[in-house]
Each structure stands twice: as C-alpha cells, then as structure tokens.
Amino acid sequence: MLTVEEALEQILVRVSRLGPERADLLACLGRVLAEPVVASSDIPPWPNSSMDGFALNSGDTLRATPDHPAELRVAGTVPAGAVAAHQIRPGEACRIFTGAPLPQGTDSVIPQEEVDVLTGHIRVSRPVAPGEFVRPLGEDIKAGERVLEAGHVIGPAEVGLLATLGRSRALVFRRPRVAILSTGDEVVDLGGQLAPGKIRNSNTYALMAQVVEAGGDPINVGVAPDRRDAIEERLRWGLSADALISSAGVSVGEYDLVRDSLGQLGAELHLWQVSMRPGKPITFGSAGGCPIFGLPGNPVSAMVTFELFVRPAIRKMAGHLSLHRPTVRARALSPIPNPGHRRAYLRVSVTADARGYAVRLTGNQGSAVLTSMVAADGLAVVPPDTTVPQEGEVQVLLLKPPASQNGAA
Ligand code: AMP
Ligand code: MG
C-alpha cells in the first residue's frame, strides 16, 4: 500500500496548471497572477501634501522663532483634486489640503494646528524642513517598476494596488471547475424524501464547500445509485470538468462499483488504497486529461482525503506555488492514541499559548462523525501503533488559524 507522500506525488505529477484568463479585479481575489504587473506611472504622480495646512517655501522660515515668527501672505488655496492656479513667490504661502499637489514655488507643508492664522497672513514660529509633510512623487511606486511578480496571490492589498495603477482587470490562472458525484443507493439528496435505510447526502455539499475554499468552482452532478449504468452516466458528465470527484463505492464490497465504472469509461487508474486512517480506499485515475478522485464514502474520510490529496491538486491547477496546509509541531494536552497499523489523521482543536501550539482530540474519531470534524482546527498526524503521551510532541496539519488561549486572534 502506498504512503500518503507516495500517493500525493503520483497525483501531483499528473495534474497541471490551467491556462490564464483576464478577470475583473474582485474576481481575482485569492487567485494567482499569470504575468508580472509593471507600473505605467509614478504613484503618487506628483508631490502632494500629507496634512491640511499651508504649503510654503522652507527657505522663508529659516530664522522663524516664537518671538520672531515668519509672516507669510496667503496667496491662494488648493483643495484635493485641484491644482494651484499660480506659482507661490518668496514670502507667500498657500492654503493646502491633504492629497492636494504642492504648488509651484513651495517645498514643504506646515500643519494648520501649528500656525497662527490672521486675515490674509499666517505666522510660522519655527523653521520648516524642506519636504516636511510632503509625499514625494513616486514615493510608493516608480514608473516601470515590477510591482507584482507572476505567481503572486491576489489579496485585498493587491486589489488596491491594481486599482491605484488604473487596472480594472488582471491576468490570472483559471479556477478549476470541479465536478462532484455522490454514489450510493442509500443516499438521498436535499429536498428528497427520506425513508427507512436512507441517509442524507452530506458529502456533495461538504466537498463543494471544500472545492470553493481550495479555489475551485464546484459543479454538482448529483447522486447515482449503486448501478453501473447510472454511475457511468454521471461520471461521463463530470469528465467534461477540469477535475472530477466521486464519493463512496470505492471499497471492496459488491456494491462498490466506482472503480469498475471508471474502467468502463476508459479511465486509467493510477492508484488505489493509501496507508492512512481514515481514508484508506482512496482511488485516483484520469481520463482524457481529467484527473479523477474516488474518495471514500464516510463523510470524514471524504473530507480528510480531500484535504490531503484533492486540495493540493486543485491549488496546483489554479497556479498556486504553495500547495499545502501549514504544519506545526504541537504538544498534546491529553494522550492521542493510534492503535491502528496505519498512520492516523486525527481531528484536534488547536490553541496557541506562550509555549507554542497545543492540541486536544475533538471527540469521537469515527469516520462518520462529522461533529468532531466541525470542532477540529487541525489534523494530528500520528504514526502507526503509537500513542502520543500527554505533553508529547505531535505534528499537526492546520485547517484553520488557531485560536489563542486568551481569545485574541
Ligand atoms: P461506501 O464507501 O459506499 O461503503 O460508503 C461508506 C459510508 O459512507 C456508508 O455509511 C455510506 O452510507 C456513507 N455515505 C456514502 N455516501 C454518502 C454521502 N453522499 N453523504 C453522506 N454519507 C455517505
Ligand atoms: Mg456504498
């Protein structure tokens, strides 16, 4: 049986980055730039005031003191959005507001709180340094500068930067469209009628949410009963997406028909079964360049195998360079047993305190118990036949940013 690392490697070598497309700024959020961004102009495009006050020539204030203030004639006003009408001459100042361009003939600004304002004049009682309260031309960005590299992930600040440069769109890698199929005679979709022996379809919805969180666009191809023709039909629909995920029907029972159906469709199966718990029966294949993930049916097994194998693949397709969740070392607040012969991924809550990260099992680790997944901030990775003792160290995959002990972020 393959290790998790071997399986992941097999998967990632068979998954490639999608092509780029131009997208509106907000639609770029969380996506990866496909080309560098080069500034076409200086930002700010002209020296401007960082305060409401008076623009002046610093040379006029060289000898100013409280006893002998410099008296300057106010020769105009320049609000933000306007340009001073004429040059300011020696012995003059100009009323100025935050963001307004510095008038010709001035080199500095004194905040209004610091001057005595008389009719038509101001008194300045200290020397003002050249450049004081002035934001110089190109302070933030120089024309021609590469401000973002290809491969950079667009966050809110990048959106602001692009807007500053006048860009309403950017070239980013496509979001993978990921088809999701649930299988099982017992599985009833939302809106359908439950009957004895039947359960709700939760996998489709949890997996769609995981796809969105990973940066993909989910496509729900519904629920197929445990019948070859029905499974094949919906798998065929799903194969037109950039990737396909199925859940259930990949174990060894007579009703586990997903692998057979994939074979019927001409898919190549690259791996089946990975030495882990939960999630052992995971299957990976491909057909016509579409990667196919056959995830186990138990809700937590499906979610955990998505985290370990599908999420990195989706991120690679979306052009991300960093594919994996962060892992940290943490100390166990109570013993974490793994009596099984496979590596375990156990649901834990994670806190951060002065001694570092600390983890505790979130409760029942059954692979159908979703409530302990809800409570989990991470997955503790425990080697086979091992119990991590209380205060012992364990590796943890962080699924959410950990809460700090005192409740602060
Ligand atoms: P299987 O892999 O088909 O043996 O399914 C394993 C377990 O997962 C069974 O208890 C199924 O009822 C359950 N299961 C399968 N599909 C879903 C689904 N879409 N939503 C919730 N549970 C499911
Ligand atoms: Mg089944």
Side-chain angles (χ1 to χ4, degrees), residues 182-183 186-187 199-203 248-249 256 297-299:
S182 279
T183 67
E186 75 280 33
V187 179
I199 58 157
R200 283 287 176 211
N201 173 18
S202 67
N203 287 351
D256 291 328
N298 276 306

Side-chain angles (χ1 to χ4, degrees), residues 297-349:
N298 276 306
V300 175
S301 312
M303 289 192 75
V304 168
T305 48
F306 180 98
E307 273 296 332
L308 294 181
F309 303 111
V310 188
R311 184 178 181 277
I314 290 178
R315 286 178 64 81
K316 181 170 182 190
M317 294 173 93
H320 284 276
L321 301 173
S322 143
L323 304 183
H324 303 292
R325 295 278 195 192
T327 55
V328 296
R329 309 292 304 178
R331 65 179 203 283
L333 292 173
S334 51
I336 304 179
N338 174 21
H341 302 319
R342 286 174 267 134
R343 184 196 285 172
Y345 289 83
L346 303 175
R347 285 146 266 170
V348 289
S349 60

Side-chain angles (χ1 to χ4, degrees), residues 128-151:
V128 179
E132 221 179 304
F133 296 108
V134 174
R135 303 188 280 220
L137 173 146
E139 176 185 49
D140 191 2
I141 299 166
K142 305 271 185 294
E145 192 183 327
R146 274 161 90 106
V147 284
L148 297 171
E149 298 294 337

Side-chain angles (χ1 to χ4, degrees), residues 204-351:
T204 292
Y205 300 95
L207 289 167
M208 287 203 295
Q210 286 184 295
V211 166
V212 171
E213 212 183 54
D217 290 324
I219 301 165
N220 182 357
V221 293
V223 181
D226 290 318
R227 258 191 6 246
R228 272 173 230 276
D229 59 332
I231 296 174
E232 279 171 36
E233 180 182 35
R234 284 174 195 263
L235 283 174
R236 207 175 287 117
W237 298 351
L239 285 175
S240 60
D242 296 313
L244 168 58
I245 304 174
S246 70
S247 74
V250 286
S251 285
V252 291
E254 288 90 300
Y255 295 101
D256 291 328
L257 304 172
V258 169
R259 280 178 304 124
D260 275 4
S261 303
L262 285 171
Q264 281 298 314
L265 291 176
E268 207 184 324
L269 293 184
H270 306 299
L271 67 89
W272 176 52
Q273 294 194 330
V274 175
S275 180
M276 62 184 292
R277 182 174 70 93
K280 173 181 152 191
I282 183 182
T283 302
F284 175 71
S286 60
C290 176
I292 305 163
F293 298 86
L295 305 187
N298 276 306
V300 175
S301 312
M303 289 192 75
V304 168
T305 48
F306 180 98
E307 273 296 332
L308 294 181
F309 303 111
V310 188
R311 184 178 181 277
I314 290 178
R315 286 178 64 81
K316 181 170 182 190
M317 294 173 93
H320 284 276
L321 301 173
S322 143
L323 304 183
H324 303 292
R325 295 278 195 192
T327 55
V328 296
R329 309 292 304 178
R331 65 179 203 283
L333 292 173
S334 51
I336 304 179
N338 174 21
H341 302 319
R342 286 174 267 134
R343 184 196 285 172
Y345 289 83
L346 303 175
R347 285 146 266 170
V348 289
S349 60
V350 183
T351 47

Side-chain angles (χ1 to χ4, degrees), residues 346-363:
L346 303 175
R347 285 146 266 170
V348 289
S349 60
V350 183
T351 47
D353 59 27
R355 291 172 59 197
Y357 293 106
V359 294
R360 191 189 294 282
L361 290 175
T362 56

